[in-house]
Amino acid sequence: AEAVSAESAAVEELASLGARVHGPRGDGSGERGLRLLREGKFDELWGTIAGYEPQKRQIEDSLLLNLLDPSTLNRISAGTREHLQASGLPKAVLFDGPPGTGKTSTARALASMAVVPLVYVPIESITSKYYGESEKILSRIFALSSQFEGGCILFLDEIDALVTTREQDMHDASRRILGVLLKEIDGFEASNVVVIAATNRKRDLDPALLSRFEFGVTFGLPDEQCRGKILEKYAKHLKREENSHLASLTAGFAGRDLVLLCVQAERRWASKIVRREVREWSLPCL
């Protein structure tokens, strides 16, 4: 009861700081996720996240399975390390890629599958016009994230807007925020908090920060096959050849663009039905 009360207080304070907490708290179980992984039902596991199979496999192997079943990783680490002082979970991971390619959606799906809260930190919640305030907010968000008994995923969006490379004459405020980030990530050795940072400008990040990320997952623009997988989720009524044709016509589209394309088609088709231009209860044609 004390743990649940502390977590509830942490959620409220995080909200007051501009962070948003998504997903399971309390006594949720990851047994369903483990079962689906063991049965090879990956599409069912990831829900609406379509395509990007290599990225999903990387996340499953390096993050998801170890969040669902940390005891296996701990046993391996105990057998391989001379001194086992910390969890084998990665402390920090970098998601990079163009806007709309699913970085935030993937982080939310990962937290849902692992049955841990996602603490989403938008850039505007950290930046402050008052001297020294931004780093205090960031440090407090890290401290509150550590209060979730079962761990959490701390998602820092658009991290490139906070800290860019020192070679580009980093602003003094950015330098202080960078110092907080480096200190807090290094201090997560014995914590179940996993930091995921997202950027579409990896090349601009400070080298010291880049070195703290134990691995990165790159989300490029989807290829034709991947676009077809996404369209299967949002235009499921299309025939296979129609799906393939639409996928071939949408080169350069991000996943978000494809979803918006399908949503706009739904809206326009609904309008046609209301105007009695097409048959009632029909679905949008290719």
Side-chain angles (χ1 to χ4, degrees):
E2 290 180 1
V4 171
S5 177
E7 289 187 9
S8 297
V11 170
E12 290 182 8
E13 188 173 350
L14 283 164
S16 73
L17 295 173
R20 299 194 290 271
V21 180
H22 300 279
R25 300 192 298 276
D27 60 352
S29 169
E31 291 181 3
R32 177 180 178 273
L34 271 175
R35 177 177 56 79
L36 291 174
L37 277 168
R38 287 167 175 161
E39 293 174 357
K41 297 179 179 178
F42 302 111
D43 285 343
E44 186 178 344
L45 177 75
W46 283 93
T48 60
I49 308 296
Y52 292 99
E53 302 307 323
Q55 289 86 346
K56 288 178 181 176
R57 181 58 190 262
Q58 186 180 6
I59 291 168
E60 289 165 6
D61 288 347
S62 299
L63 267 173
L64 177 58
L65 278 165
N66 297 318
L67 284 166
L68 289 172
D69 186 9
S71 60
T72 298
L73 177 60
N74 290 337
R75 284 198 302 271
I76 292 173
S77 299
T80 57
R81 303 184 194 182
E82 184 175 356
H83 301 289
L84 181 61
Q85 297 176 330
S87 166
L89 285 172
K91 295 178 297 180
V93 179
L94 183 66
F95 285 3
D96 74 279
T101 50
K103 300 184 292 295
T104 303
S105 299
T106 299
R108 291 190 67 169
L110 172 62
S112 178
M113 290 184 287
V115 199
V116 295
L118 175 78
V119 180
Y120 175 79
V121 185
I123 185 68
E124 62 269 17
S125 70
I126 297 176
T127 54
S128 172
K129 63 181 179 181
Y130 299 111
Y131 184 87
E133 192 69 20
S134 296
E135 54 267 37
K136 290 179 183 177
I137 293 172
L138 182 59
S139 184
R140 186 58 183 159
I141 287 173
F142 270 87
L144 290 167
S145 298
S146 299
Q147 294 184 19
F148 292 99
E149 189 175 21
C152 74
I153 292 174
L154 178 57
F155 187 76
L156 303 175
D157 202 6
E158 298 182 82
I159 196 170
D160 49 90
L162 279 178
V163 283
T164 53
T165 177
R166 293 190 181 98
E167 297 175 0
Q168 297 179 352
D169 299 322
M170 182 186 291
H171 190 274
D172 184 51
S174 296
R175 194 180 303 278
R176 296 195 306 272
I177 290 172
L178 174 62
V180 171
L181 273 174
L182 299 180
K183 175 186 173 184
E184 296 292 349
I185 292 175
D186 287 344
F188 271 169
E189 282 286 357
S191 171
N192 286 330
V193 178
V194 177
V195 179
I196 298 180
T199 180
N200 57 16
R201 296 188 301 165
K202 179 181 177 181
R203 64 186 180 278
D204 291 341
L205 293 180
D206 186 88
L209 180 60
L210 281 173
S211 70
R212 294 324 197 266
F213 296 114
E214 298 185 30
F215 69 93
V217 182
T218 300
F219 295 81
L221 290 173
D223 59 18
E224 187 171 327
Q225 183 180 13
C226 187
R227 292 196 299 274
K229 291 281 188 182
I230 296 171
L231 289 169
E232 286 177 4
K233 297 284 187 180
Y234 294 92
K236 64 179 185 179
H237 64 294
L238 294 182
K239 297 177 181 178
R240 180 176 297 179
E241 57 271 21
E242 291 177 325
N243 178 293
S244 298
H245 184 53
L246 186 53
S248 70
L249 294 174
T250 49
F253 277 50
R256 183 190 300 159
D257 300 327
L258 291 170
V259 173
L260 291 175
L261 175 71
C262 294
V263 169
Q264 184 65 0
E266 293 169 0
R267 292 168 180 159
R268 294 182 65 178
W269 197 258
S271 175
K272 288 176 180 289
I273 290 175
V274 173
R275 293 174 184 271
R276 300 184 185 279
E277 296 176 357
V278 296
R279 181 169 52 86
E280 191 173 7
W281 306 121
S282 60
L283 295 173
C285 62
L286 175 61

